[in-house]
């Protein structure tokens, strides 16, 4: 994606990755960090800037308390 953008002469300002369903933010961050080490050529010119998490407020507290027992 970065290579094609460079070939077009139009670089990306931001890339948004949406992870539907149940996703652990820490795992997403760790996967990105691992990829930065193992796939440097693919991710050249990128960095993880912000990780946003959206939760279901109606069930969050109950589910959070279950996990931390």
């Amino acid at each position: 994606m970065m290579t094609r953008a460079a070939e077009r002469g139009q670089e990306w300002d931001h890339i948004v990755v949406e992870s539907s369903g149940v996703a652990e933010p820490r795992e997403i961050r760790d996967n990105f960090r691992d990829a930065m080490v193992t796939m440097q050529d693919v991710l050249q010119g990128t960095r993880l800037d912000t990780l946003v998490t959206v939760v279901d407020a109606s069930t969050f507290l109950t589910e959070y308390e279950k996990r931390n027992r």
Side-chain angles (χ1 to χ4, degrees), residues 43-65:
L43 295 175
Q44 183 178 10
T46 64
R47 67 183 169 93
L48 179 61
D49 182 71
T50 304
L51 188 63
V52 177
T53 302
V54 178
V55 298
D56 181 349
S58 67
T59 61
F60 174 74
L61 188 56
T62 302
E63 296 301 318
Y64 182 77
E65 287 174 344

Side-chain angles (χ1 to χ4, degrees), residues 3-4 8 14 20:
T3 302
R4 288 190 181 193
R8 289 192 322 249
H14 295 83
S20 295

Side-chain angles (χ1 to χ4, degrees), residues 6 18-19 22-24 26 28-29 42-43 45 57 60 64-65:
E18 192 276 331
S19 179
V22 178
E24 293 292 335
R26 183 177 297 155
I28 293 170
R29 181 205 59 205
V42 174
L43 295 175
F60 174 74
Y64 182 77
E65 287 174 344

